[in-house]
Amino acid sequence: MINSQADLDDSAVALAAASAGADVVRTLYGRRLTRIDKGGGDFATAADVAAEKAILAVIRAARPDDAVLGEEGGQQGAAQAARQWLVDPLCGTLNYAVGNMLVAVNVALRGGAAAVADPFSGEVFCTDGERAWVRHDGADAPLVPTSATRLVDVNLDPPFPGAPGFRAVDLLAQPDFVERFRPRVVSTTLALAWVAAGKRAAYVTDGRDLSGSVHFAAGIALCRAAGCVVTGVDGAPLGPAGRGLVVASDHETHRLLMSMIRDSGT
């Protein structure tokens, strides 16, 4: 239980909320869960819904006046509120539903603190908007990006709003990409936290403006605070006119990926 929740700073609220969601996801893992059809092949499970309720309980106790946009529950409070939390209670639902443990719990205060919890490793990746760290077994360590692994996660999930100009899958056919990097497909935005932590060199996805997405906001905040290079697939800053997302551990990795993306036709 959390004591004096109203006294927590925003990063502690994000960490506590993500941890609460992760506890639910871990507890319900492996059970036969009800699926909620969202159309287009997408669905949620009872674990998504239960985890979001646990997250909201923490946020409501600590920040009762804040608005929340949840993946499952939608908008609560004014959409244009000065303080809005973005919640994705189980990113990687298809992985989870088939017994794959590659999932993330994402909680972000728009423009501020954020946390990404890995329910199965026990790691919670956090930022207060300036610093970035990972908490594991009660100990904190700074997040240090590096391209040493050469592993690049590429989001292959449809739809592809940028097609036919560019799809992340197009990188896999680039000879330079194959020569310099090794692709991975984690199918969850846990991969963004891994870029911040040095477990991945970069992450690439097609899309429109992802800066306010419940799926991506927490990971983007982590990567920025850790010192990663964060842009759209066209190299432009993220924002209303943005396209997709390229997060690289350093400027050289970002430069190489942007060159390959341009060669793909974007």
Side-chain angles (χ1 to χ4, degrees), residues 163-248:
F166 171 75
R167 298 181 304 167
V169 68
D170 294 338
L171 278 176
L172 306 186
Q174 287 285 323
D176 286 347
F177 182 86
V178 176
E179 179 181 349
R180 294 177 179 273
F181 299 110
R182 290 293 178 266
R184 291 294 183 270
V185 181
V186 174
S187 297
T188 167
T189 52
L190 179 63
L192 280 172
W194 286 355
V195 177
K199 298 181 180 183
R200 291 289 190 268
Y203 176 89
V204 179
T205 182
D206 189 21
R208 297 187 176 90
D209 175 22
L210 301 178
S211 60
S213 164
V214 296
H215 306 292
F216 290 93
I220 289 170
L222 277 174
C223 289
R224 282 175 165 161
C228 301
V229 182
V230 181
T231 71
V233 294
D234 54 0
L238 301 186
R243 288 184 54 207
L245 182 63
V246 177
V247 175

Side-chain angles (χ1 to χ4, degrees), residues 35-45 71 92-95 97-98 157-159:
R35 294 192 180 191
I36 304 158
D37 183 29
K38 294 184 175 183
D42 191 17
F43 63 90
T45 70
E71 166 72 2
T93 298
L94 181 56
N95 285 348
V98 299
D157 290 339

